[in-house]
């Protein structure tokens, strides 16, 4: 879309948002405000660029009479190049989910108890990273293993507000989905041999109720008693809830809350996120049979990252990232590897936009 068209859309959005009648429909007002906030940095850069170009023209005219204006014209020209680059980056096609919060699921895989223990390490890593980012986390559902790890855990990660457009939780965590492999000596290993285990991570954007319609007739809801580590019963009433979405076969369980109603709402929350992710994946697959970006299209079943404890090394196999600060990464310092993935995605989107 041309910049003049974006400017026209921006002015139209301003008029719509100033109309009290628009705010009678909160969903519409929220969508208009979201689009307005997305366009605001683009229009600001566009206006600043126009002003700088006008100043350059004036300085060049005055330089004929006063040579000192020639230096000012050079400085303004350098500023113009910076603005052109900033505007170019702002106009890169964005992932429409980048502003969204996420539902993050961690599931133990191959490796038995050691896999469950490493799942616990990953959960702590993500919780600490979220804390560093100022995000809010909420454990929706968790099943513990006998040694204190996790068989599976579901976490909601939410931005507290104030984030720039396109810089939400999804933008930073969306590449975490896939198989995470760990190489270390398990606590259960008596001979000191290094074992390889795997943990699955699924990240989906959290859906609002208005985005996904769920018919009660499409749901099978089962209730059962909650259980703790090792299968120990922790509740004498049938408060745990398992919801099966019959059209897709998606199954979601929740037992963390004390009441059946609360568990039902939490399970529906996860179900909405999964259905949204599935619908978006189907639409993308239909529009583009073979996706271009390795980063954005990694198969959930493929190994995406290796955590090597003997070498204190972390390797992301999608972008060739490697660092020897595994201890710091597991303490929540994920910035380096996440930035490498974001940069690779940005580069791919920029190249696609130029074709």
């Amino acid at each position: 879309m041309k910049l003049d068209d974006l400017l026209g859309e921006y002015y139209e959005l301003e008029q719509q948002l100033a109309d009290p009648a628009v705010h009678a429909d909160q969903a519409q007002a929220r969508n208009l405000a979201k689009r307005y906030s997305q366009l605001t940095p683009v229009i600001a850069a566009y206006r600043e660029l126009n002003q700088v170009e006008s100043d350059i023209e004036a300085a060049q005219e005055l330089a004929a009479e006063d040579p000192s204006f020639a230096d000012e014209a050079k400085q303004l020209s350098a500023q113009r190049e910076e603005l052109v680059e900033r505007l170019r980056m702002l106009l890169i096609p964005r992932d429409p989910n980048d502003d969204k919060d996420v539902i993050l699921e961690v599931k133990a895989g191959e490796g038995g108890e050691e896999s469950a223990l490493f799942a616990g390490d990953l959960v702590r890593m993500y919780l600490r990273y979220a804390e560093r980012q100022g995000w809010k986390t909420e454990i929706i559902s968790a099943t513990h293993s006998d040694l204190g790890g996790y068989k599976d855990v579901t976490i909601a990660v939410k931005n507290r507000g104030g984030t720039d457009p396109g810089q939400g939780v999804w933008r930073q965590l969306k590449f975490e989905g896939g198989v995470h492999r760990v190489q270390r000596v398990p606590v259960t290993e008596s001979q000191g041999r290094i074992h390889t285990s795997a943990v699955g991570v699924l990240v989906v954007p959290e859906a609002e109720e208005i985005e996904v319609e769920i018919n009660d007739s499409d749901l099978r809801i089962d209730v059962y008693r909650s259980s703790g580590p090792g299968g120990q019963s922790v509740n004498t009433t049938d408060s745990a809830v398992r919801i099966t979405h019959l059209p897709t076969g998606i199954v979601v369980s929740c037992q963390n809350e004390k009441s059946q109603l609360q568990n039902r709402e939490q399970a529906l929350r996860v179900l909405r996120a999964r259905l949204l992710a599935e619908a978006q994946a189907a639409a993308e697959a239909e529009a583009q049979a073979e996706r271009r970006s390795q980063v954005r299209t990694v198969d959930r079943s493929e190994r995406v990252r290796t955590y090597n404890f003997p070498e204190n090394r972390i390797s992301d196999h999608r972008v060739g990232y490697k660092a020897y600060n595994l201890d710091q990464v597991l303490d929540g310092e994920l910035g380096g590897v996440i930035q490498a993935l974001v940069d690779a995605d940005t580069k791919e989107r920029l190249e696609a936009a130029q074709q």
Side-chain angles (χ1 to χ4, degrees):
M1 182 178 289
K2 296 180 179 179
L3 281 168
D4 288 340
D5 294 335
L6 292 178
L7 190 61
E9 181 185 357
Y10 186 76
Y11 287 143
E12 184 178 346
L13 287 168
E14 276 188 330
Q15 294 176 353
Q16 289 179 298
L17 289 170
D19 183 357
V22 169
H23 295 272
D25 185 339
Q26 292 188 0
Q28 180 190 15
R30 186 164 51 245
N31 289 333
L32 292 175
K34 180 179 178 181
R35 179 57 176 165
Y36 183 79
S37 68
Q38 290 173 349
L39 289 179
T40 296
V42 178
I43 301 306
Y46 181 45
R47 288 170 172 168
E48 189 175 353
L49 178 60
N50 285 339
Q51 182 61 54
V52 167
E53 289 179 338
S54 178
D55 291 344
I56 290 174
E57 185 177 345
Q60 288 173 340
E61 290 178 359
L62 292 170
E65 301 176 4
D66 185 346
S68 64
F69 283 101
D71 291 335
E72 183 178 346
K74 289 182 181 179
Q75 294 174 1
L76 289 168
S77 294
Q79 185 179 348
R80 177 178 59 186
E81 293 304 315
E82 293 176 1
L83 285 167
V84 168
E85 178 61 20
R86 188 203 305 176
L87 196 54
R88 187 168 69 103
M89 297 301 291
L90 287 170
L91 290 171
I92 295 174
R94 291 179 47 236
D95 182 336
N97 291 322
D98 277 349
D99 295 317
K100 289 183 180 292
D101 299 323
V102 307
I103 300 292
L104 185 148
E105 300 180 55
V106 180
K107 296 180 180 293
E110 298 178 4
E113 191 63 47
E114 163 62 7
S115 176
L117 289 172
F118 184 59
D121 291 338
L122 290 185
V123 168
R124 286 187 289 273
M125 177 184 76
Y126 290 126
L127 292 177
R128 288 171 181 169
Y129 178 70
E131 183 180 1
R132 292 172 186 269
Q133 300 301 310
W135 298 336
K136 179 182 178 181
T137 57
E138 174 190 1
I139 295 181
I140 295 177
S141 179
T143 304
H144 295 271
S145 68
D146 293 334
L147 296 183
Y150 285 106
K151 295 179 181 178
D152 61 76
V153 59
T154 302
I155 306 169
V157 187
K158 302 179 71 68
N159 176 32
R160 294 183 185 272
T163 301
D164 293 335
Q167 301 297 319
V169 180
W170 171 258
R171 174 171 169 78
Q172 297 182 62
L173 291 185
K174 60 183 173 182
F175 304 116
E176 292 303 300
V179 174
H180 294 238
R181 186 178 69 170
V182 58
Q183 296 172 328
R184 66 181 178 187
V185 178
V187 294
T188 55
E189 170 59 54
S190 60
Q191 300 182 23
R193 293 175 297 185
I194 296 174
H195 286 223
T196 298
S197 302
V199 169
V201 177
L202 174 67
V203 186
V204 293
E206 182 159 7
E208 298 179 18
E209 289 190 37
I210 58 174
E211 294 179 287
V212 178
E213 181 179 350
I214 300 177
N215 297 320
D216 290 341
S217 60
D218 290 337
L219 302 179
R220 185 177 73 235
I221 301 178
D222 302 306
V223 295
Y224 57 98
R225 291 186 180 180
S226 302
S227 60
Q232 178 183 1
S233 177
V234 295
N235 199 324
T236 57
T237 62
D238 293 336
S239 62
V241 174
R242 181 187 301 109
I243 298 179
T244 303
H245 187 248
L246 300 175
T248 62
I250 294 175
V251 180
V252 179
S253 301
C254 187
Q255 63 176 16
N256 276 33
E257 305 297 336
K258 293 182 179 180
S259 79
Q260 185 182 122
L261 180 61
Q262 289 175 315
N263 282 322
R264 184 180 185 277
E265 289 305 311
Q266 293 286 47
L268 282 172
R269 182 178 173 185
V270 176
L271 178 60
R272 278 195 294 268
R274 289 195 189 176
L275 288 173
L276 176 64
E278 185 169 288
Q280 291 175 335
E284 188 175 347
E286 182 178 351
Q288 185 179 8
E290 186 173 347
R291 306 175 192 176
R292 290 186 297 265
S293 170
Q294 180 184 6
V295 173
R296 284 188 289 143
T297 62
V298 61
D299 191 294
R300 298 291 186 191
S301 65
E302 292 180 355
R303 176 193 66 184
V304 297
R305 193 175 295 158
T306 295
Y307 303 76
N308 186 297
F309 276 71
E311 298 180 11
N312 197 35
R313 168 173 53 84
I314 179 171
S315 304
D316 195 287
H317 308 292
R318 295 163 292 183
V319 293
Y321 177 89
K322 185 180 295 185
Y324 293 86
N325 63 338
L326 177 57
D327 52 341
Q328 297 174 0
V329 169
L330 290 175
D331 194 42
E333 296 185 17
L334 268 168
V337 62
I338 285 179
Q339 191 59 51
L341 291 159
V342 169
D343 289 346
D345 181 60
T346 300
K347 180 182 178 182
E348 192 276 340
R349 289 179 182 274
L350 182 59
E351 290 175 349
Q354 294 174 338
Q355 291 178 356

